[in-house]
Amino acid sequence: MEEYSAMAFVPLAPFRPRLLDALRGYDRARAGRDLGAGLTVGIVALPLAMAFAIASGLKPEAGLWTAIIAGALIAALGGSHVQIGGPAGAFIVIVYGIIERYGVANLLIATACAGVLLFLLGLLRLGRLVRYVPLSIVVGFTNGIAVLIAASQLRDWLGLDVGKLPADFFAQLRLLGSHLDTFNPSAFALGLACLLGLFVWPRLWSVRLAERLPVDLPGVREASEVGARIPGPIVALATLTFVAWYFQLPVETIGSRFGAIPRGVPAFTLPDFSWETVKLLVTPTVTIALLGAIESLLCARVADQLSNLPRHDPNQELMAQGVANFVVPFFGGMPATGTIARTVTNIRAGATSPIAGLVHAVTVAVVVLAAAPLAQLVPLSVLAGILFFVAWNMGEWREFAHLRRYSADYRIKMLGTFVLTVVFDLTVAVQVGLLAACILFIQKMGSLFSVERIPGDSGELRYRLYGSLFFGATAKVDPIVEAVESGPAGTPVVLDALQMVHLDTSGLDALRQLHKVVLLRGGTLRMENLQPQPREVLVQAGFLGELARHEASEEVPA
């Protein structure tokens, strides 16, 4: 009864946003740094939010208002000082697939349900469990998502006259290949110029490059520092949009496909919610929640490494992500999570607190409300170029070249997850990847357990046990059973468990089976030098008592 009560009681995580701690001792200097960082990240978020929404099969305003609403909620309620939340590239493939299969209305319901699930994960202190997802699986599905994002942008980059793209990777390639005759050179040129510009821009304004000039020109270093702070995506978006408008290039724009972006705040709308619908959306709900949790906590860990601020609270971060994902669907938004690129930009711009995240959300809102009509002039091929750049930076491409350095287990999990993500979807990839990780881990741990025959007294079988005797290693006890069955009757067996650090119920059952064989042969079984955990299991199961009683009965003279 006491054991059940202890297991039933799960301490809940306190709801304490990091914003409350960050405001202690907040001064004008920190406010200035947060203001500058928030403005910078807000400008960076504008093209990304629109691009992520469009690539996901939604209207651009869905991404913009997700950046505003979710960005503000995650900053205000989150467990990190500098994390920026909003729509993320990792969700593009997932959201597109859900919309194609279930529709936009059910996407909103699944997102809200995922928000509830994320909040419960944080409330129940399960935030640290995300760290148990193997790095090989994270790298595999991240690279797979990057490939799928790039493939989804081929239509707009090449300017192909294609209708709605299927979610399947190979079906997309077949459809695009059958419409190559509609190739638009103007769209391709704009997308290529955008992509090349994003690679060149930070190097163009590199301070090191300025210092290598043969002539020491005054103000070059200062100009380089200022230019480096201007976000490349905004420069590409503004200049190439102007080029397309000025020269009246025949390219598809946001306005020609979606119409003008509304300048007002989206209306609060309740989705058509029912329990039957929720049951049908279990898979997309779990997928959104799982991906959101992994992305946000990985992003928060990156932020911890890059900044000198206190470490994030994973449970509080998950609760904030839950609130944000529960709220945004009521305003027509899409799933949100922590975003690595914007968070890194926030840190490098000098952010010191969640105030920068709030400023970022306000910046996006002001631009949307004041200049939304200008967005309809943006060529879709330019947004495709931005997403190609995002996909390139998202992927851990060096991992493929370095695969020989890793173990076979790592290669199997990474490549398997990558292929399954591209061929099927993220849910299947993560499920199979985790299953493979568990099987390989069990195999590895099972191989670490060993049984060694050691010298004993005359007529005695003595063995030393090493490692963890659990369900994956019980077969290692079979040689002892075979030795007892083939040996003389009445032979006592002694197990030295000094090096056995763990025992589970399957291991206990293997010891019981050994004991039965020993008794049938008229012998006794004794265990010595037990460690605390195995001793506790054996005592609770009454097995040590059984061994003691049978050994005592053998010592009683006939």
Side-chain angles (χ1 to χ4, degrees):
M1 185 68 179
E2 293 179 358
E3 181 181 354
Y4 173 79
S5 301
M7 293 177 62
F9 175 73
V10 179
L12 302 180
F15 189 86
R16 183 174 178 80
R18 279 297 169 86
L19 179 62
L20 300 178
D21 299 327
L23 290 178
R24 294 178 181 174
Y26 198 72
D27 53 25
R28 183 175 298 178
R30 290 181 62 193
R33 294 174 62 186
D34 286 338
L35 179 62
L39 289 171
T40 302
V41 180
I43 294 173
V44 171
L46 275 167
L48 295 178
M50 291 190 295
F52 292 155
I54 293 171
S56 301
L58 297 168
K59 293 184 177 181
E61 55 263 32
L64 291 170
W65 284 103
T66 299
I68 296 168
I69 298 171
L73 289 173
I74 291 172
L77 306 177
S80 171
H81 280 76
V82 291
Q83 176 148 277
I84 301 295
F91 274 120
I92 290 176
V93 180
I94 300 300
V95 172
Y96 193 92
I98 293 174
I99 291 175
E100 185 184 54
R101 184 173 181 181
Y102 300 97
V104 175
N106 287 330
L107 167 69
L108 301 180
I109 296 174
T111 303
C113 293
V116 175
L117 183 57
L118 283 167
F119 187 88
L120 291 176
L121 289 175
L123 187 65
L124 297 175
R125 297 178 179 269
L126 299 178
R128 298 189 183 277
L129 290 182
V130 176
R131 296 186 178 183
Y132 291 106
V133 178
L135 177 63
S136 54
I137 293 178
V138 174
V139 172
F141 81 68
T142 301
N143 287 354
I145 290 173
V147 170
L148 292 175
I149 291 174
S152 70
Q153 297 309 299
L154 288 174
R155 174 186 61 172
D156 291 333
W157 188 20
L158 301 177
L160 303 182
D161 185 12
V162 179
K164 185 177 178 60
L165 285 175
D168 180 73
F169 175 72
F170 296 106
Q172 283 183 7
L173 296 183
R174 284 195 299 270
L175 182 61
L176 294 173
S178 65
H179 288 76
L180 287 177
D181 56 324
T182 62
F183 172 70
N184 186 330
S186 298
F188 177 75
L190 287 174
L192 182 60
C194 176
L195 183 60
L196 293 177
L198 291 174
F199 277 107
V200 171
W201 182 258
R203 294 167 177 80
L204 182 65
W205 295 102
S206 171
V207 174
R208 293 182 180 179
L209 181 63
E211 292 175 345
R212 292 176 182 175
L213 291 176
V215 181
D216 186 14
L217 298 176
V220 171
R221 182 182 180 87
E222 291 74 10
S224 297
E225 293 176 350
V226 172
R229 293 195 187 101
I230 302 175
I234 288 296
V235 176
L237 194 72
T239 55
L240 296 176
T241 298
F242 175 78
V243 168
W245 169 79
Y246 184 81
F247 291 101
Q248 294 296 298
L249 297 180
V251 295
E252 192 173 15
T253 64
I254 289 178
S256 63
R257 182 180 294 182
F258 301 102
I261 297 178
R263 299 177 66 174
V265 179
F268 180 87
T269 305
L270 289 173
D272 187 11
F273 181 88
S274 69
W275 180 242
E276 294 299 323
T277 304
V278 172
K279 289 192 291 185
L280 293 174
L281 297 174
V282 171
T283 299
T285 296
V286 173
T287 302
I288 293 173
L290 178 63
L291 182 57
I294 293 174
E295 283 288 309
S296 62
L297 296 185
L298 284 178
C299 178
R301 290 179 67 182
V302 171
D304 289 344
Q305 295 170 1
L306 295 178
S307 67
N308 295 321
L309 298 169
R311 292 173 60 85
H312 74 283
D313 179 350
N315 298 314
Q316 182 62 42
E317 188 62 32
L318 286 184
M319 287 190 280
Q321 301 284 341
V323 172
N325 280 282
F326 180 77
V327 171
V328 290
F330 299 119
F331 296 92
M334 60 188 292
T337 186
T339 57
I340 294 179
R342 275 159 278 173
T343 298
V344 171
T345 302
N346 191 39
I347 296 171
R348 291 176 177 171
T352 68
S353 76
I355 296 296
L358 293 173
V359 173
H360 136 267
V362 172
T363 301
V364 179
V366 169
V367 174
V368 170
L369 296 175
L374 295 178
Q376 63 183 324
L377 301 176
V378 175
L380 295 178
S381 58
V382 174
L383 293 181
I386 292 175
L387 286 182
F388 265 106
F389 186 70
V390 169
W392 175 260
N393 287 328
M394 177 187 295
E396 298 284 347
W397 310 115
R398 293 180 180 177
E399 294 296 315
F400 289 112
H402 297 161
L403 276 177
R404 292 184 178 181
R405 301 179 181 179
Y406 300 110
S407 64
D409 292 359
Y410 184 95
R411 294 196 294 268
I412 291 172
K413 289 181 287 187
M414 198 273 270
L415 293 176
T417 306
F418 172 76
V419 172
L420 289 171
T421 300
V422 174
V423 176
F424 295 98
D425 58 48
L426 177 66
T427 308
V428 174
V430 173
Q431 289 174 349
V432 175
L434 288 175
L435 178 60
C438 291
I439 293 174
L440 293 171
F441 178 76
I442 291 169
Q443 183 183 24
K444 183 68 172 178
M445 293 301 297
S447 67
L448 295 178
F449 178 80
S450 63
V451 176
E452 178 188 0
R453 176 78 181 269
I454 57 177
D457 295 338
S458 177
E460 178 183 77
L461 288 175
R462 178 177 286 271
Y463 293 88
R464 182 170 292 146
L465 309 181
Y466 297 87
S468 174
L469 180 53
F470 72 115
F471 63 91
T474 53
K476 298 290 184 69
V477 181
D478 291 347
I480 306 179
V481 176
E482 295 171 359
V484 172
E485 290 177 335
S486 61
T491 302
V493 178
V494 180
L495 302 180
D496 185 349
L498 179 64
Q499 305 296 330
M500 187 176 73
V501 296
H502 178 263
L503 177 72
D504 72 352
T505 53
S506 297
L508 171 64
D509 183 67
L511 294 177
R512 285 189 184 277
Q513 297 303 319
L514 172 62
H515 189 212
K516 288 181 181 180
V517 173
V518 172
L519 291 178
L520 289 175
R521 298 290 293 170
T524 59
L525 176 66
R526 186 170 79 253
M527 299 194 69
E528 300 177 344
N529 303 320
L530 283 165
Q531 297 293 334
Q533 192 277 338
R535 176 178 291 278
E536 182 181 359
V537 173
L538 295 174
V539 169
Q540 289 182 351
F543 186 62
L544 284 186
E546 294 177 21
L547 296 182
R549 286 194 299 272
H550 285 289
E551 189 171 4
S553 65
E554 289 293 327
E555 294 175 355
V556 176

